[in-house]
Amino acid sequence: MTKVHNYSAGPCILPQEVLKQASEAVINFNNLNLSILEISHRSKDFIEVMDNAIALVKELLNVPSGYSVLFLQGGASLGFYISAINVMKKDGKGAYLDTGVWSAKAIKEAKRLGSVEVIASSKDKNYNSIPKSFEVPGDADYLHYTSNNTIYGTQFKTVPQSSIPLICDMSSDIFSKEIDVSKYDMIYAGAQKNMGPAGTTLYIVKDELLGKTGRDIPSMLDLQVHIEKESMFNTPPVYPIYVSMLNLQWLKKNGGVKWIEGINNQKAELLYAEIDRNPLFKGIVEKEDRSNMNVTFVLTDESKSEAFDAAWKAANISGIKGHRSAGGYRASMYNALPLESVQALVDVMQAFEKTNG
Amino acid sequence: MTKVHNYSAGPCILPQEVLKQASEAVINFNNLNLSILEISHRSKDFIEVMDNAIALVKELLNVPSGYSVLFLQGGASLGFYISAINVMKKDGKGAYLDTGVWSAKAIKEAKRLGSVEVIASSKDKNYNSIPKSFEVPGDADYLHYTSNNTIYGTQFKTVPQSSIPLICDMSSDIFSKEIDVSKYDMIYAGAQKNMGPAGTTLYIVKDELLGKTGRDIPSMLDLQVHIEKESMFNTPPVYPIYVSMLNLQWLKKNGGVKWIEGINNQKAELLYAEIDRNPLFKGIVEKEDRSNMNVTFVLTDESKSEAFDAAWKAANISGIKGHRSAGGYRASMYNALPLESVQALVDVMQAFEKTNG
């Protein structure tokens, strides 16, 4: 069958060889003659999967000692609340940077627990940029930000300076580029972009951050409980963790985060260059804040949208319609999207210029 | 390869034809030339999966109108808290029946929210039976019980009489026998026994039960939020829901819950008859409370355990070691375990009697 150029915003494209292994394990895992779906999560074979997945996260991101790595459930949506309840003291305060929908949701959940100070926001510019000047309140328990906004297509290029514990929702760009984990006190990320399929959520947390809120925390939301039980407090989402492990193995084998960062840069340069060059298109985000993961753009003449949609669909390109709250187009270029798929989109844009320019 | 008789306590055996379809969809789902793991959860194709899964639950369990069906995350372990926070009023009270580990965990999480009254417990008999005489307090907001205890091997054979809303953790016996949903106000169940693989949790909830607590509930724990968004408030655990749908299709195609109940009864009668007949074994649970899902038993002479373990392992039987907190043996006989696998175990027990009796 013809190859699909899969620009899905998440759940998103995964490497073919990962999918092949993932498919085989549903029939016969580890030559047990049993499916990965029907073995005990406390079996030797699955404990090995969990241990490998955790070890790969630590290795690929150079996680320093003193941090724990957890595979939990609930996505970033539960992470918004979990991050706050585990760190915001009773009568404490959380500081937030607002870069759009995901930050706003994090802020909403944190407000249930106490005081929230939004120290900077790009809302008045329709979130087309990343706020750069802000003062971090020394009396807040933490500073929270979203590293990449999938909807508007913005991305932090530097880590915010913070004198207080730093928490980051890194759902949409973790494993896409090198990071310095030691600058963070907590990172959380839904798996379904660069880590694996939907259904598990990664937490990387500095152990000493926890246990200081004076709050009673429900067991399933308590990161200390999960650390103590090594992500096995209850039945974990076995298959999403297994496929994440396979995908991290793929990343390691090919050269790790530094390797994929190089490719991701190439992909982004190729597409942004075409958007800037081609008079039929324009970007919607300030250049210095453009995301390497989600490239947003519009037609300079919206009346051509029907013709353009037909053109990319004919080229087997899938999933570049913009998010319903942003409109236009969004090319999500996660790790497994090959450079050839970006070239295919650029080719469509160039051909479209010739026939419609 | 030789067939494994998979008695795993959960995640547990799934039908071979379900696994085959589940494996294929990881490579090519719905002939999209894309994996089920790499498509958007908001795509037409996945929305159809979610709709089908919900419709199958409603059909197979005859869910009356006025109830919502949700596929969420977190397992029963998060359900312990979700069920309480959505129903227990501020300064309200929950009533609980205590039948062992899972009930105790539900009680622990509910106590974080308010008053809990344990109205009956079989703890003093090491949970070898189901409490039958209890008075339901009219001033409690709900009565909670666990329909089947996987560890001790006990099961409610009738629905507790209750004048107040009835909530049931049905994780380990839902879809194994016919139930009257109208007797319940909320049912919740981790998928990984008779519904599908680990990673999603089913909620069946009477709409009018909700919205009465006066509590502020975090979005991801608020069943009204999930009902409003039709289980799509955030990215759902796509693959566990898909495989659950396949498994419910399998159940429907073969004759539904009534059909599987007949087979489950046959399996239980066969094994319990052998336990009662064979002088080398004895059951540990009061006969009238024996679970059809998890059959627990011990050797009458524990010194023979090494020889017995060798015998069942040689017959390709897997997973009948008892839970670490109960000891002995536990044969978990979920829907997909065929009668032949139970016969294989009975054959081993009979052969063992001949050589060791």
Side-chain angles (χ1 to χ4, degrees), chain A residues 2 23 33 109 112 216 219, chain B residues 2 23 33 109 112 216 219:
Chain A
T2 321
S23 171
N33 204 15
E109 299 306 320
R112 302 180 191 282
D216 177 63
S219 303
Chain B
T2 320
S23 171
N33 204 15
E109 298 307 318
R112 302 180 189 283
D216 177 63
S219 303

Side-chain angles (χ1 to χ4, degrees), chain B residues 18-33:
Chain B
V18 167
L19 295 173
K20 189 164 173 293
Q21 287 173 280
S23 171
E24 285 165 5
V26 172
I27 297 296
N28 184 8
F29 171 59
N30 272 7
N31 279 319
L32 297 171
N33 204 15

Side-chain angles (χ1 to χ4, degrees), chain A residues 343-356:
Chain A
Q343 189 61 56
L345 175 56
V346 167
D347 290 347
V348 166
M349 292 165 80
Q350 292 181 348
F352 190 69
E353 183 192 9
K354 282 187 189 135
T355 51
N356 289 268

Side-chain angles (χ1 to χ4, degrees), chain B residues 283-337:
Chain B
I284 60 172
V285 165
E286 286 189 13
K287 286 189 181 179
E288 63 182 6
D289 300 325
R290 283 171 161 179
S291 168
N292 277 9
M293 293 289 101
N294 313 94
V295 177
T296 50
F297 58 98
V298 293
L299 283 160
T300 45
D301 175 359
E302 276 199 25
S303 73
K304 295 192 165 92
S305 65
E306 208 171 305
F308 181 58
D309 292 353
W312 56 263
K313 282 175 187 167
N316 267 308
I317 288 168
S318 155
I320 68 161
K321 272 280 187 190
H323 187 275
R324 57 193 183 285
S325 61
Y329 298 93
R330 170 176 55 168
S332 295
M333 311 197 302
Y334 295 115
N335 284 357
L337 186 88

Side-chain angles (χ1 to χ4, degrees), chain A residues 1-2 6 11-14 23 28 33 38-39 73-74 77 81 109 112 192 216-219 234-235 239, chain B residues 1-2 6 11-14 23 28 33 38-39 73-74 77 81 109 112 192 216-219 234-235 239:
Chain A
M1 283 195 282
T2 321
N6 182 4
C12 72
I13 187 167
L14 292 169
S23 171
N28 184 7
N33 204 15
E38 59 176 356
I39 61 167
Q73 294 184 63
S77 292
Y81 190 75
E109 299 306 320
R112 302 180 191 282
Q192 64 269 19
D216 177 63
I217 306 177
S219 303
N234 69 330
T235 310
Y239 194 70
Chain B
M1 283 194 282
T2 320
N6 182 3
C12 73
I13 187 167
L14 292 169
S23 171
N28 184 8
N33 204 15
E38 58 176 357
I39 61 166
Q73 294 184 63
S77 291
Y81 191 74
E109 298 307 318
R112 302 180 189 283
Q192 64 269 17
D216 177 63
I217 306 177
S219 303
N234 70 330
T235 310
Y239 194 70

